[in-house]
Amino acid sequence: MAAIAEMQRTGIPASITLAQGIHETSAGTSDLVTKSNNHFGIKCKDTWKGESVSHDDDARGECFRKYNSPMDSYRDHSDFLRGSARYASLFTLDPLNYSAWAYGLKKAGYATNPKYPQIIIKLIEDYNLQDYTLIALGRKQPDEEILAKTDDEKKEVAPVAAVLKMEETVVSGPNVFVKNVQYPDGEFKVNDTRVIYALKGTSFLSIAQQYSISLARLFEFNDMSESESLAKDQLIYLQRKRKTGNNDFHTMRTGETLYDIAQEEAIRMESLLEYNQLQNNMRPAPGQQLYLKTKSPFRPELAKTEKRQDQTAFVNNGNNQVSSSPVQTKEVIAYTVQPKETIYSISKKYNVGIDDIVQWNQLTSYDLRKGQQLRIYK
């Protein structure tokens, strides 16, 4: 589910995220959430460049952020907390200490209600939301116990169920993952560009024949090299993507590549690179804002390992120049993944970034298996 995925991405306790979502939306039923997908009551502020809605809160007709999907709201909530200096102290707290997080949010000015901490704590305890934090930490496995509950017991978890439904989540065995977008069947448009959503294994030839496009053009439209079939589920464009995006900006998500963004936003790769002063092999850090319509005044901050490569120093040694990479001068720890450990818990254990672990070990997802060998640089 989204709260678990966001905890693994940013460290915000899933219990806190869920309790805030339940409270702010009246369990997914408030006027604000139904017209804006805003699950956390985040107001526009000066930095918000996206869509907005007017809603009565502390004053009449206040400006609130509007999102295309619930998942966008969950990601923005995480980025909002993680990216603001006034909430920095929260991330030094134990993620299992939900009381400290609740009072910390109030102290930092997240809410004006003086009883906000007590409200959040009560929701966590009434609906056992701490279980979701334990799942994110790998200390508890998802289960189907709710299916066996009586009707009265199911009523008690109704607020949580309402929020889960709004999140469009997918749960598969012990691994919890999020389906970010549900695309329609057949042809539709993204950024006024014809596109389909094709599944892994689909033949490119079959797509070309069905939509009367040459294979060469199909690969060109999608910035792809020739191959027989799709290696993963993805958007496949049936005409050339646009030089500008439909949105002004795109916030970089963990694990996302520039190609992923070009496909999601239906923007040409060369335009995306030019607007953001990037090269094709670079990867901006999660949370960085990429420009989709105009040129950015500066290049976004790169992911840590990318930055190290970009800033590799050269030391003059006689007539030779010797590369001195920060990674090469660090101690390398060979670490064996223990039962129920997650990439988040390991990153906290060694005080390193999740993205660093992914890059060092060339991981393709955040899922780890017991006994897996990892390299940790300290």
Side-chain angles (χ1 to χ4, degrees), residues 25-49:
T25 68
S26 299
T29 64
S30 72
D31 289 340
L32 176 62
V33 77
T34 54
K35 66 183 180 182
S36 68
N37 280 321
N38 190 331
H39 282 246
F40 301 95
I42 300 180
K43 296 179 182 179
C44 294
K45 307 296 183 184
D46 294 337
T47 57
W48 180 245
K49 305 298 183 183

Side-chain angles (χ1 to χ4, degrees), residues 54-216:
S54 178
H55 181 73
D56 295 343
D57 189 50
D58 297 325
R60 290 181 61 84
E62 290 190 89
C63 181
F64 284 81
R65 301 181 181 189
K66 182 180 179 181
Y67 304 96
N68 291 328
S69 71
M71 261 311 305
D72 288 339
S73 175
Y74 273 75
R75 282 191 294 269
D76 191 47
H77 168 261
S78 299
D79 293 340
F80 177 76
L81 294 182
R82 191 78 198 181
S84 175
R86 68 174 177 170
Y87 298 113
S89 62
L90 294 174
F91 295 90
T92 66
L93 301 174
D94 182 349
L96 292 173
N97 191 345
Y98 56 83
S99 294
W101 271 81
Y103 279 99
L105 282 166
K106 175 63 179 70
K107 184 177 179 180
Y110 187 91
T112 56
N113 186 342
K115 295 184 178 180
Y116 189 79
Q118 295 93 320
I119 293 170
I120 296 301
I121 292 168
K122 188 174 188 304
L123 284 169
I124 291 173
E125 294 176 348
D126 284 353
Y127 302 114
N128 299 317
L129 302 184
Q130 186 76 325
D131 286 350
Y132 297 96
T133 295
L134 292 171
I135 291 170
L137 292 171
R139 301 186 189 181
K140 181 180 175 66
Q141 297 297 322
D143 54 49
E144 302 297 327
E145 289 180 4
I146 190 172
L147 299 178
K149 291 182 180 291
T150 65
D151 288 341
D152 288 339
E153 288 173 325
K154 287 179 180 178
K155 289 178 183 177
E156 293 179 1
V157 297
V160 182
V163 173
L164 298 186
K165 183 179 180 181
M166 290 294 289
E167 292 178 32
E168 299 176 352
T169 59
V170 178
V171 178
S172 175
N175 299 316
V176 180
F177 61 95
V178 180
K179 181 166 59 176
N180 294 329
V181 182
Q182 287 184 319
Y183 293 110
D185 294 331
E187 184 181 324
F188 56 101
K189 285 190 175 183
V190 175
N191 192 17
D192 201 30
T193 306
R194 296 170 55 222
V195 66
I196 61 170
Y197 188 73
L199 302 180
K200 177 181 178 180
T202 301
S203 163
F204 284 108
L205 180 59
S206 67
I207 297 174
Q209 290 176 336
Q210 181 176 353
Y211 293 97
S212 302
I213 302 170
S214 72
L215 266 177

Side-chain angles (χ1 to χ4, degrees), residues 283-320:
R283 178 176 291 192
Q288 291 296 297
Q289 195 175 62
L290 301 186
Y291 284 62
L292 303 178
K293 289 185 176 180
T294 58
K295 191 163 186 176
S296 170
F298 50 81
R299 191 178 73 185
E301 180 182 350
L302 300 180
K304 289 182 179 179
T305 51
E306 297 280 349
K307 190 190 300 182
R308 278 195 284 268
Q309 293 169 5
D310 190 51
Q311 296 177 346
T312 296
F314 287 88
V315 181
N316 192 345
N317 183 13
N319 293 325
N320 300 319

